[in-house]
Amino acid sequence: MMKLNGIGCGAALGAVLTAGAASAVTVDPADFDSVFTEGLRTATTSGEAAVGSEAVPGNGDIDTFDIPGLAGDTLLVGRVEDATDTYTSGSVTGFATITVLNYAQAVRDGISPFSAVFSVFAGSTEVGSGTFGSAGPTSGVVAASQFNGDPFRLVVDGQSGAADYDVSISIASVPLPAAGLMLIGALGGLGMMRRRK
């Protein structure tokens, strides 16, 4: 199990949101609590392979992988080749943000164009989806959704070509939204004004 360094997954996500669709985001496996690789990845990340990562057990050729104990900041490292990779986890509670990082940063030579659809499910309900590939974008948020004890599932459906991908999964408890705090403050102010009258 890897520990977060000072950068953290939040910084990586912030870089994704501000870097724009065309620019790549640097990923360092040391920034994550857990790193899982499905075994087909041959490229490197930030100049180094995902050293110390935990292999996800697969089920033969159907490319279905189990992620034990999904929590905190997790990095999935994989490769999709005209096929479908499916990652599943048990019960998840909290606000999950799933972000594609560096998709196709290290594409196998001679294979293009390439694209894949990334879909996220809470139980049987799809909560987000995004298409990434050589036509762009190559990174971005796929889903940001509350999980209330639902199973987590990420499906990477390779549409064409072959490419590496990094997927960040950040799970945190959900604070009261800022809008809710503002509403409470406004109602309190109205109550004070009414009392003065």
Side-chain angles (χ1 to χ4, degrees), residues 22-162:
S23 58
V25 178
T26 300
V27 180
D28 185 346
D31 292 345
F32 297 85
D33 294 310
S34 301
V35 181
F36 298 98
T37 175
E38 39 80 316
L40 299 178
R41 180 65 174 268
T42 58
T44 59
T45 307
S46 299
E48 298 180 3
V51 177
S53 61
E54 301 178 29
V56 178
N59 300 321
D61 295 329
I62 60 174
D63 292 340
T64 299
F65 309 99
D66 298 321
I67 312 170
L70 181 60
D73 297 322
T74 300
L75 178 66
L76 302 182
V77 178
R79 170 184 288 273
V80 63
E81 303 181 42
D82 292 322
T84 300
D85 292 346
T86 301
Y87 298 88
T88 62
S89 181
S91 174
V92 172
T93 301
F95 193 79
T97 303
I98 297 88
T99 308
V100 172
L101 307 169
N102 289 342
Y103 178 67
Q105 182 180 8
V107 181
R108 182 173 298 172
D109 291 340
I111 299 180
S112 71
F114 44 87
S115 66
V117 177
F118 294 75
S119 302
V120 178
F121 295 83
S124 59
T125 303
E126 183 176 296
V127 296
S129 180
T131 301
F132 301 88
S134 55
T138 59
S139 63
V141 176
V142 176
S145 180
Q146 174 70 29
F147 280 70
N148 297 305
D150 300 310
F152 171 90
R153 181 160 51 102
L154 168 69
V155 179
V156 185
D157 184 6
Q159 302 290 296
S160 64

